[in-house]
Amino acid sequence: MFEKLKAILVEDMSVNEHDITMEAELISDLGLNSLELADLVMLCEERFELEFDEAELKNLLTVRDVVNYLELNANI
């Protein structure tokens, strides 16, 4: 799942591949802003056939948080 998320971040979000680690924070380390975070959520929902729980979004701070969420909820 990490590699799939990494591909989205690199190909669709223009994040530097070398900056993406499981511990990387989406905002402070990868430089995503709130609009880009919304885009990331939409891309993940589309690619992994799931819908993010709005209440959970505030807990998705790192790449690991997103990977764990996708592993638990994705329909792949």
Side-chain angles (χ1 to χ4, degrees):
M1 190 60 70
F2 171 73
E3 291 301 323
K4 292 178 181 182
L5 178 60
K6 185 176 179 179
I8 291 171
L9 288 165
V10 171
E11 295 166 16
D12 297 296
M13 309 297 298
S14 300
V15 174
N16 185 327
E17 179 178 6
H18 302 293
D19 293 338
I20 303 169
T21 65
M22 288 292 276
E23 292 74 30
E25 292 186 10
L26 299 171
I27 295 172
S28 61
D29 295 330
L30 302 183
L32 299 181
N33 62 37
S34 58
L35 183 58
E36 291 167 323
L37 288 174
D39 287 343
L40 178 61
V41 167
M42 288 177 23
L43 286 165
C44 287
E45 286 179 335
E46 188 177 290
R47 303 248 173 97
F48 300 112
E49 299 178 8
L50 64 94
E51 190 168 323
F52 279 85
D53 179 351
E54 294 290 325
E56 290 293 317
L57 291 177
K58 67 181 181 300
N59 298 323
L60 303 178
L61 305 175
T62 66
V63 171
R64 181 181 309 280
D65 295 336
V66 178
V67 167
N68 289 343
Y69 188 88
L70 292 172
E71 287 177 345
L72 289 173
N73 298 287
N75 295 318
I76 58 169

